[in-house]
Amino acid sequence: MKFTKLLTTASVFVLTATTLFTPLTAHANKVTTVKVAAPNGNPEFVVNTDHGPAGYYGDLIKRIDKDLLQYRFKTTFASQNAVFSGLQSGKYAVALNNSWYNESRFKNYYHTRSTSLDDVRIIYRKNSPQAKYLKNATSLAPIAKHKLSMVPLATDDALYSVVKTYNDTHNPKVDLKPFGDQSTADALGQVASGKYDVTMYPYAAFREVQNTKDGKKLAVSKSIFLKSAYLLVHKNQQNKQLTKDLNKEIDHLYKDGYLEQLTKKYIHENTFAFPGADKAYNAEFNK
């Protein structure tokens, strides 16, 4: 009797175990690997470590990977140009980059909901003759009014679009010259050396270099605007669902305060608490 009862109990256990583990095995077979590309030379937002990507977007992609069980996100680091050429060709599905809106980007790629909110400022030389015009600046107007030279911007850089939009609606205009790809360090170095009067970058970019040889020569204006950043996704049929899943997850992370938590940790200030943040966050999502 005891033996029969024991056998029956064991049979129930086996049956229960089979019921529990079969769906997990089936689910594991459906995991999709997503190839992610992150740019080298973007230390204020993402860095390459022995344990994978770190920094703002490193933490973000690891959290997304943890939450979206149907995907496995595998990150590769490459140059900025290689990130975008790989994204366009389909070599990578997602660009782990602090990408702002511009018309061509949103036309050529899918984009997620906003992943961060950047505080953009004018960067200029300390004690330069131009400093008196810039330390209290809250727009590009002093640059245009006093005919200050700005570091040339790549035409595919969203900063270029920001200045172009300003020039389309204001007089006098900022003297804007197009240029090829360059790093944040290069641009800030050109201001520190006196080659150009000003450049524009998120405050986090300045904080990364402020204690370097060039950085000690630089100062920043007040906030001139807040800018949302988005993840870009290779445009194909398969990635439509991926983009929807990313959007749902990012919306959840925004609403539960995780994006604000990352901002406080890595961006040196809580941009989500700034005046106008609610309006600026995700502003271009439906474009």
Side-chain angles (χ1 to χ4, degrees):
M1 183 69 178
K2 290 183 180 180
F3 176 78
T4 304
K5 184 176 180 180
L6 180 63
L7 182 61
T8 303
T9 303
S11 300
V12 170
F13 174 79
V14 171
L15 180 61
T16 303
T18 303
T19 304
L20 287 174
F21 291 127
T22 299
L24 292 178
T25 304
H27 173 77
N29 291 335
K30 295 179 181 178
V31 173
T32 300
T33 297
V34 177
K35 294 182 179 179
V36 178
N40 287 317
N42 196 14
E44 61 270 22
F45 292 109
V46 60
V47 292
N48 191 5
T49 74
D50 292 338
H51 304 288
Y56 189 102
Y57 285 102
D59 281 9
L60 179 61
I61 199 66
K62 287 176 182 176
R63 173 63 183 268
I64 292 172
D65 187 51
K66 178 182 177 182
D67 290 351
L68 299 185
L69 300 180
Q70 67 271 42
Y71 298 107
R72 174 176 175 264
F73 293 85
K74 183 179 180 181
T75 302
T76 299
F77 280 79
S79 70
Q80 184 87 338
N81 283 338
V83 168
F84 281 100
S85 63
L87 188 68
Q88 188 170 24
S89 69
K91 179 180 180 180
Y92 306 114
V94 178
L96 197 64
N97 192 48
N98 201 59
S99 296
W100 297 353
Y101 166 83
N102 71 30
E103 186 176 355
S104 63
R105 282 180 181 174
F106 274 34
K107 180 180 178 181
N108 293 330
Y109 308 107
Y110 295 137
H111 63 276
T112 66
R113 294 180 62 83
S114 177
T115 52
S116 68
L117 192 59
D118 293 325
D119 170 19
V120 184
R121 304 192 185 196
I122 300 167
I123 301 174
Y124 58 94
R125 288 191 313 286
K126 291 178 180 176
N127 305 318
S128 68
Q130 298 81 17
K132 60 186 176 184
Y133 307 128
L134 298 170
K135 62 181 179 179
N136 292 317
T138 56
S139 75
L140 297 175
I143 299 175
K145 180 180 179 180
H146 298 287
K147 301 185 185 303
L148 306 184
S149 61
M150 177 178 282
V151 174
L153 298 167
T155 55
D156 63 351
D157 188 327
L159 280 171
Y160 185 94
S161 297
V162 168
V163 181
K164 185 177 183 302
T165 298
Y166 178 89
N167 283 346
D168 289 343
T169 54
H170 292 81
N171 275 305
K173 303 180 186 302
V174 175
D175 183 15
L176 177 62
K177 294 181 174 65
F179 189 67
D181 186 41
Q182 64 179 335
S183 70
T184 303
D186 289 340
L188 298 182
Q190 289 172 340
V191 175
S193 70
K195 184 175 182 179
Y196 295 98
D197 295 323
V198 298
T199 189
M200 285 191 310
Y201 272 101
Y203 182 54
F206 169 76
R207 286 290 300 266
E208 286 294 321
V209 302
Q210 67 176 348
N211 293 319
T212 64
K213 182 179 178 181
D214 283 342
K216 289 177 180 179
K217 301 175 184 177
L218 301 173
V220 291
S221 70
K222 295 181 178 180
S223 180
I224 59 172
F225 58 85
L226 296 173
K227 198 70 178 172
S228 284
Y230 305 85
L231 298 182
L232 301 178
V233 183
H234 175 68
K235 208 169 190 177
N236 65 15
Q237 187 64 35
Q238 179 181 349
N239 288 344
K240 279 187 176 181
Q241 185 60 50
L242 170 63
T243 305
K244 289 178 181 179
D245 292 336
L246 287 171
N247 283 338
K248 184 176 180 181
E249 170 68 0
I250 292 166
D251 187 45
H252 164 69
L253 297 178
Y254 169 67
K255 289 177 178 176
D256 80 354
Y258 184 73
L259 297 186
E260 186 173 5
Q261 178 184 325
L262 289 184
T263 298
K264 290 177 181 178
K265 182 177 180 180
Y266 291 109
I267 309 301
H268 311 290
E269 53 185 358
N270 183 10
T271 52
F272 287 100
F274 277 32
D278 288 346
K279 183 177 179 180
Y281 175 72
N282 223 41
E284 301 93 351
F285 176 66
N286 291 319
K287 289 188 178 181

